[in-house]
Amino acid sequence: MPKDHGIGASSKRREDVRFLTGKGRYTDDINLRGQTHAVFVRSQVAHGKIRKIDTSDAEAMPGVIKVFTAADFDGKGGVPCGWQIHDRAGNPMLEPKHPILAEGKVRYVGDAVACVVAETLAEARDAAEAVVVDIEELPAVVDMKAAVKGGALVHDDLGSNLCYDWGFIEDNKAATDEAFKTAHHVTTLELVNNRLIPNAMEPRVAIGDYSQAGDDYTLYTTSQNPHVIRLLMGAFVLSIPEHKLRVVAPDVGGGFGSKIFHYIEEAFVTHASKVVNRPVKWTCSRSESFMTDAHGRDHVTKIELALDKDGHFQAIRTETYANMGAYLSTFAPSVPTYLHGTLMAGNYKTPHIYVNVKAVFTNTVPVDAYRGAGRPEATYQLERVIDKAAREMGIDPIEIRRRNFVGKDEFPYQTPVAVQYDTGNYQATMDKLVEIADIAGFERRRAESAKKGLLRGLGVNCYIEACGIAPSNLVGQLGARAGLYESATVRVNATGGLVVMTGSHSHGQGHETAFPQVISEMIGIPENMIEVVHGDTANTPMGMGTYGSRSLAVGGSAMVKATNKIIAKAKKIAAHLMEASEGDIELKDGKFSVAGTDKSVDWGAVCLAAYVPHNYPLESLEPGLEETAFYDPSNFTYPAGAYACEVEVDPETGKVTVCSFAAADDFGNIVNPMIVSGQVHGGLAQGIGQAMLEAAAYDGNGQLLSGSYMDYAMPRADDVPFYKVDHSCQTPCTHNPLGVKGCGEAGAIGSPPAVVNAVIDALQHGGHNVTHIDMPVSPSRVWSAING
Amino acid sequence: MYNFDFVKPTSLAEAVKAMAKEDAQALGGGQTLIPTLKQRLASPAVLVSLSGIAEMKGVCVGDDGALCIGGGTTHATVAKEAAGKFPALAALAAGIGDPAVRNRGTIGGSLANNDPSACYPSAVLATGATIITNTRKIAADDFFEGLFTTALEPGEIITEVRFPVPERGAYAKFQQPASRFALTGAFVAKYGSGVRVAITGASENGVFRWTAAEKALSANFSAGALDGLSVASDSLIGDLHGTPAYRANLVKVMTRRAVAAS
Ligand SMILES: Cc1cc2nc3c(=O)[nH]c(=O)nc-3n(C[C@H](O)[C@H](O)[C@H](O)COP(=O)(O)OP(=O)(O)OC[C@H]3O[C@@H](n4cnc5c(N)ncnc54)[C@H](O)[C@@H]3O)c2cc1C
């Protein structure tokens, strides 16, 4: 019987009642008394010198309160970067200032030059059109390789467009090079990990609200991590002490990484609200979000794989150009480095690995973490080159992977790229995949497709990711400028219901459902006695927010720790009430009992005693039942899996149809299987979107060609098949109390190579000598490859 | 959006009068015009909604057997009501956009807009339909004048479109992956007098007749008749979604599929 509550139950997502009935309260739903509206004047050229900004006409227009330019932010900081990388020689990365409004130069189409604050949105828009910006256009750098070969400088003061040239691990380089010299076979692949635009359903919004009465500020914003925004903006940009700054991120309609970062608009509205002494609201239009939300991916890579005659991996060497865009977004430098290089071992035993990454400034929107962040880039190149090697050497793609897996008895496994995998069983996940994908029946399906004139292909790959981010002391050594623990306060009320105040933030993940399941299991009270509060720095403990599939593994662990403290204290109270010794108290199904007796007292009675302490050990125990815990993980978690995709290619048009997709994942223990399946489904859609449809494209002048849904293809329901997902292979994480690994990014990380591998399989089997097609594998690209 | 006045006449005569005002613009289903207004790329002084004019709506059969569709008829209505008489046209309408677009967007709006990737222009051109306005009748061959340009005069309203129904006909559309407009679409219509083929989505000059295919198909109406033919790619569109050579291929493949489906 499947469980109907607690850990392992598919409890229905309680937050969906509000989301599906239009009762969610998003930032744009907040309207404050006396609110004004901000509209940004944005650069229409990718690169240029600002000669003059004339705001006089705009300022004279109806309803205009003030037109801001960079001069209004004199003495304020730029938005900071949260991670510092050191290059191969040990020098710190080049780090430009990212001003709130452009100072002297514009550096991408969409760069904010000025901002109008007016009584109404329409008046602000009218006035924004009347701001005259005189820009001397400069040549733009868009192509990364050109940018490092002496193209125009994005930041003149830095003297170079190369942010850093990073080697990982530099000490591995010589041995890796040596292994290539003696290898039996070397497979080389050059590929592009296509640039993506996140497209959260809810565009970004920010409302600044300064109160003269208290000389304090509130920022309402669409954020995945309100405490991080408070810290970065307060300490580095506006010099507002944290006790004078409250950041609220209410319901947030999807983030996918793009709402982790501290954006200039947040700092703008916060500061401007003090200047105009009224609330200032900015709501991003969809067109604006295409050109201002941090983009994702955008790597150009050459990967080489050395093998012995039996297909055993000997060494991996990569060279990647990673686009940073025009400025360093909050976590941008960490994505192509520590979230990417550390995953290059994949699920395999490869003795020598060396990763080189060159991060490059270009006149494009800043690039930062996007669902998977670095790990999809690692997985894609590795799983594509393995597939290519298998085909070159005539080894079955599944077999070559099995030959190289880290064995289930070899954990903990230390990779050559710094991380240590705690648990896993890759053969078992592959066995499960072979079963659910009906690999045995593939040739029959291929023959059926052929009857319709279609080429069918099968693509398989594995993935591993490091999530549950992250041990603070470790990431500190790697350049993180923040800790990555998580926090929880568990507040029990007098009548036994409780509230968890978590530093994690839910923007679609279902925390309001899953977190109570854990506490329900621990205490034995119904889930509906437990409420989750998140998203407001005023009523949650300092936490680092949600990204990197970390909420349950890190935030959930903090909550378990706090709940354990609650239980320990409650046992003391129960012992007192039953005049027993604390060590004999057992908690089961919401009841405290004395071991070996029939004496018991209810959870509710203990809670009441804590707050109405008439019969209570006041001399040794404080009243009340509220505990806070911080949890800092000792390692990353390592979800892993094996994915299979079948496609049909229409050789006449090049159109690819994804016929089936199967995902066998090992997420360790599972709290809510339905939510986990949903997370995998969404991730797969995103990964299939990247593989088949999505591409942020710029022309040579830095104009965004895919600036709307007319040209940027998002996956729709009929672009994806009904998925087969399975998460019954479980090797629990060894170092967090729940044994969970995280499931939020897996689908997006693991699916792109399966799709492309399947397309290549279809074409090669159909007699076409095609070894690689860059994503998205659009009809025209496939047709061109066939007819190339 | 900029500010504008809004009128919603209930008769064609009133609409014509309203359109005489300076900077007046007709509003059909708004599926193209409203997004344009929202982006502040158009600034009409008066919007004249045609959606309240009953005489401009509906599907019927004329005395000459032609299928007559009111200029204000939505794609959804055409999909439903033309299905018996002219299934190829109904199928085309059913394949435009999504339900919301089909329930608002109109045939008159689509033709007046003449988007190079729109579907209807191919049906109108391939059937040699007649576009009827408040002032005159325009033959399909004279109506389409290139990208987003038509023979319509300022203020002129498409009140009706008359389609001679072909013996056999079909529309084959290859969707652009993002917009799902036609990356290339081919409409084939066979009459006793010969075959007409119109191609949309492919050319920098908008919808066009593929005369070589018409000749071949008039002689032998089968997919195989197209085998030796090819389209020059010089004036075909090259963009993010396909090169001119790719579109040239699609012209042929989609025409073949339209013939096979008709
Ligand atoms: C998401 C989406 C998907 C779409 N997909 C497709 C597709 O696959 N294929 C396709 O063909 N189209 C597609 N369209 C376009 C759709 O068919 C529109 O309905 C059409 O382009 C315009 O029709 P409308 O009635 O909405 O006109 P409006 O937007 O109201 O007007 C368009 C223009 O025509 C003028 N106009 C309107 N009616 C008349 C009239 N009776 N006489 C003279 N001028 C008039 C207006 O002044 C304006 O200049 C799509 C649109 C959207 C939003």
Side-chain angles (χ1 to χ4, degrees), chain A residues 122 125-126 129 287 650 652-655 693 697 705-706 709-713 716 718-719 779-780 783-784, chain B residues 1-2 38-40 115 174 176-181 239-243 245-246 249-250 253-254 256-257:
Chain A
R125 282 188 79 173
D126 286 343
E129 283 179 9
S287 315
D650 176 350
E652 287 188 339
T653 62
K655 185 173 166 58
L693 297 161
L705 298 174
S706 51
Y709 294 126
M710 293 301 279
D711 288 300
Y712 189 88
R716 296 175 223 195
D718 62 357
D719 288 313
S780 84
W783 182 83
S784 301
Chain B
M1 277 189 204
Y2 297 107
K38 278 172 139 178
Q39 292 184 64
R40 297 192 155 199
D115 187 304
F174 192 84
Q176 194 255 56
S179 70
R180 296 199 174 178
F181 276 66
D239 62 12
L240 283 180
H241 307 288
T243 57
Y246 179 61
N249 170 65
L250 283 183
V253 173
M254 290 299 119
R256 210 157 55 205
R257 289 185 182 179

Side-chain angles (χ1 to χ4, degrees), chain B residues 25-26 28-33 75 97 105-106 112 118-119 158 173 180-181:
Chain B
Q25 187 167 8
Q31 297 303 295
T32 298
L33 186 51
H75 310 329
T106 64
C119 300
I158 298 176
K173 171 184 181 182
R180 296 199 174 178
F181 276 66

Side-chain angles (χ1 to χ4, degrees), chain B residues 40-61:
Chain B
R40 297 192 155 199
L41 296 172
S43 51
V46 190
L47 269 194
V48 181
S49 169
L50 306 176
S51 64
I53 304 173
E55 62 196 283
M56 278 180 62
K57 291 184 187 181
V59 178
C60 66
V61 179

Side-chain angles (χ1 to χ4, degrees), chain A residues 687-701:
Chain A
I688 293 171
Q690 165 162 32
M692 302 272 301
L693 297 161
E694 297 183 48
Y698 283 93
D699 73 8
N701 296 321

Side-chain angles (χ1 to χ4, degrees), chain B residues 108-129:
Chain B
S110 177
L111 294 175
N113 194 47
N114 193 20
D115 187 304
S117 305
C119 300
Y120 268 128
S122 68
V124 168
L125 193 58
T127 57

